[in-house]
Amino acid sequence: CSIISIEITEDGPAAESFIGTLAYMSPARIRGLAEYSFEADMWSLGIMMITVITGRIPFPTSNGSWQLMKAILEGPQPTITTKEVSSE
């Protein structure tokens, strides 16, 4: 999951770091938006939950970082079916 630093502003909390595991990073973080909030963390949590339920990261990770970023930014949002649920 992403490790973040939080700054409390008048508009609420906003993180401003770029630290984390690429496979779990939200599209907003990959795009390099200056500030992000809880939505990016919810994306990471969702990807982590899909990984736990299915036993695999929902994006292709063997083709390198650029292809992984492209899949996160341009591919369909990950979903799971009952057939994908890991027996473990």
Side-chain angles (χ1 to χ4, degrees):
C1 275
S2 299
I3 299 171
I4 59 171
S5 63
I6 298 288
E7 174 184 334
I8 304 299
T9 65
E10 290 179 12
D11 298 327
E16 298 178 336
S17 64
F18 193 81
I19 299 171
T21 303
L22 186 56
Y24 298 95
M25 243 181 229
S26 72
R29 292 308 309 133
I30 292 171
R31 286 188 184 100
L33 299 179
E35 294 181 352
Y36 64 97
S37 189
F38 300 108
E39 290 85 4
D41 292 331
M42 290 298 102
W43 170 276
S44 297
L45 177 62
I47 298 303
M48 186 171 39
M49 291 174 68
I50 289 172
T51 302
V52 169
I53 292 168
T54 64
R56 64 175 182 78
I57 295 173
F59 301 107
T61 58
S62 62
N63 296 332
S65 298
W66 293 112
Q67 290 300 319
L68 176 58
M69 286 189 288
K70 184 175 180 175
I72 293 169
L73 293 173
E74 298 175 5
Q77 290 187 353
T79 59
I80 58 173
T81 64
T82 55
K83 294 177 185 177
E84 295 177 290
V85 176
S86 174
S87 61
E88 298 175 18

